Amino acid sequence: MAKRDFYEVLGLAKNASEDEIKKAYRKLAMKYHPDRNPDNKEAEEQFKEVKEAYEMLTNPEKREAYDRYGHAGVDPNMGGGGFGGGAGGFGDAFGDIFGDIFGGGGRRGGGGGPQVYRGADLRYNLEITLEQAAHGYDTTIRVPAWDKCDTCNGSGAKPGTSPVTCTTCAGHGQVRMQQGFFSIQQTCPKCHGTGKIIPEPCPSCSGAGRIKRNKTLEVKIPAGIDNGMRIRSSGNGEPGTNGGPPGDLYVEIHIKQHAVFQREGDDLHCEMPISFAKAALGGEIEVPTLSGKVSFTVPEGTQSGKTFRLKGKGVKGVRSGYPGDLFCHVAVETPVKLTEKQKDLLREFERATTEGGAKHSPQSKGWMDKVKDFFE
Ligand SMILES: [Zn+2]
Ligand SMILES: [Zn+2]
């Protein structure tokens, strides 16, 4: 599921003070601590979530990155964020996936007034089958969405009270600090750039001004998508702060293991057991592909381990538009549970090939020659 907002995890407003973060953390950490919840997986997960939120939000640099870019700013797995993520690691289905992490969002430049923050990006892990990945797949997912809180009408303040202008920054959201000759503008540490302080938070939304609900989203997965690729759904992340733009939602594709095929890029591989007689005599075999069976002729004298390439029977590349190939790895099967009659036939066969000499088994002959050289 999508990663939850750190403030939401701790039940705090975006402008929570460091003290409030510490208090909320202590309370929740006590509640979900593994010592108090032995063998409770859910509590353990919640404990980890709370701990991560606390660690991120009490580190001023990370908190600022998170406020500006959301999870993309602090989660190295999200790529492209403010914290050494880099866009590597994930393939991007449409090339521009990381394009607007920095564009459009972020802080409103220049003068006074509260700061505008882009909402956090969210990630949704979607598991699909190899067939769905190869042929394309339309589905729907349930994702978090936020509505304005009815109780406080979005202000975050308890009804009957209202947010007050921050006295530290006089509502500008920024403060000037004198450092030597330089005057540096910084995010107000008291209100964290919102310009407002909520003395009594709304009980329905804990001061966030909005309530989380779920919504259904249609996802069109293009044919040929590969494991780890992500599809961006623009604007479906968390809402921004102070009128900032919302973050994006990233649907990350996880392809389930297939019973027959292994995928490597746009190529497919499969193992094909064939009988000892078929391998020796050659003949038609049926080969499975993602679009049904095809027949294929193996030549006389096919050895175990031989690979046949079926051109164009792989997966059509999501970017190239060209199909990969299917590689069939032949495994010659030694017959088992033979009847006396079948054994007699094989003994007769063995005598006949021995009489015929080494030409019937060049591999064995080559091997015997090496062994002889080795002992001489
Ligand atoms: Zn409210
Ligand atoms: Zn302030």
Side-chain angles (χ1 to χ4, degrees):
M1 245 330 277
K3 198 173 169 88
R4 285 172 71 204
D5 174 59
F6 289 147
Y7 292 100
E8 192 188 292
V9 168
L10 296 174
L12 293 169
K14 286 257 189 251
N15 59 4
S17 69
E18 214 179 320
D19 257 344
E20 288 175 297
I21 293 171
K22 279 182 185 156
K23 251 186 234 158
Y25 169 68
R26 268 198 292 274
K27 207 175 101 194
L28 291 168
M30 294 267 273
K31 186 172 164 195
Y32 295 125
H33 197 280
D35 287 353
R36 291 193 164 197
N37 303 274
D39 298 317
N40 183 341
K41 274 266 168 265
E42 207 180 300
E44 195 188 316
E45 282 309 307
Q46 266 158 326
F47 182 71
K48 278 189 205 152
E49 198 178 32
V50 165
K51 191 157 175 286
E52 189 194 9
Y54 169 73
E55 279 165 3
M56 286 297 171
L57 297 183
T58 47
N59 177 324
E61 271 184 323
K62 288 188 179 175
R63 182 174 181 177
E64 212 211 342
Y66 178 73
D67 284 342
R68 289 172 73 176
Y69 304 116
H71 287 302
V74 289
D75 182 356
N77 295 326
M78 290 298 288
F83 265 77
F90 293 107
D92 48 312
F94 302 117
D96 67 342
I97 269 178
F98 298 105
D100 72 354
I101 281 182
F102 291 99
R107 200 187 297 234
R108 188 205 290 157
Q115 282 182 8
V116 172
Y117 295 110
R118 182 182 181 274
D121 288 330
L122 294 174
R123 175 170 56 203
Y124 185 99
N125 295 322
L126 183 63
E127 214 181 44
I128 59 172
T129 64
L130 180 60
E131 285 88 343
Q132 288 165 343
H135 299 135
Y137 180 55
D138 293 350
T139 187
T140 56
I141 57 174
R142 295 282 287 167
V143 295
W146 288 263
D147 282 345
K148 191 161 82 176
C149 173
D150 287 335
T151 313
C152 63
N153 203 25
S155 75
K158 189 175 162 183
T161 75
S162 50
V164 296
T165 302
C166 174
T167 49
T168 308
C169 62
H172 295 302
Q174 298 196 330
V175 285
R176 284 194 174 279
M177 306 255 298
Q178 199 69 31
Q179 265 187 16
F181 296 110
F182 300 103
S183 166
I184 295 167
Q185 211 169 49
Q186 279 193 331
T187 302
C188 172
K190 184 94 180 285
C191 64
H192 297 287
T194 59
K196 287 199 163 71
I197 297 287
I198 297 170
E200 289 183 77
C202 163
S204 307
C205 62
S206 323
R210 54 187 187 236
I211 301 240
K212 191 169 138 183
R213 307 195 198 289
N214 285 322
K215 68 175 172 188
T216 303
L217 210 64
E218 280 179 31
V219 188
K220 286 186 185 303
I221 296 166
I225 200 156
D226 206 350
N227 209 29
M229 285 182 173
R230 306 196 296 177
I231 299 167
R232 186 179 66 204
S233 178
S234 206
N236 277 312
E238 291 186 17
T241 306
N242 290 334
D248 296 333
L249 173 79
Y250 290 87
V251 177
E252 190 175 308
I253 300 299
H254 297 270
I255 300 177
K256 288 181 209 162
Q257 185 110 27
H258 195 274
V260 175
F261 301 109
Q262 286 92 49
R263 180 172 176 177
E264 270 174 36
D266 296 333
D267 294 330
L268 293 174
H269 293 260
C270 74
E271 190 156 294
M272 227 12 248
I274 63 171
S275 76
F276 154 73
K278 180 84 81 183
L281 300 170
E284 242 176 42
I285 57 169
E286 279 200 320
V287 177
T289 74
L290 281 180
S291 43
K293 286 178 181 166
V294 296
S295 64
F296 180 80
T297 307
V298 287
E300 210 178 293
T302 293
Q303 299 294 339
S304 200
K306 169 86 182 162
T307 300
F308 294 106
R309 177 175 177 174
L310 279 74
K311 266 194 101 55
K313 295 293 180 191
V315 177
K316 198 173 100 186
V318 70
R319 264 183 281 209
S320 68
Y322 294 110
D325 301 331
L326 170 62
F327 292 89
C328 266
H329 304 270
V330 168
V332 174
E333 188 171 24
T334 305
V336 295
K337 293 189 179 154
L338 298 175
T339 63
E340 267 316 307
K341 191 184 168 212
Q342 288 165 332
K343 284 179 185 173
D344 280 344
L345 284 168
L346 276 181
R347 286 183 195 111
E348 193 180 322
F349 171 79
E350 176 72 3
R351 271 194 298 278
T353 46
T354 309
E355 271 167 32
K359 66 177 183 215
H360 298 305
S361 44
Q363 278 185 42
S364 300
K365 180 173 185 306
W367 183 80
M368 282 304 291
D369 290 348
K370 272 185 228 161
V371 171
K372 260 190 230 151
D373 289 349
F374 176 70
F375 282 112
E376 272 164 15

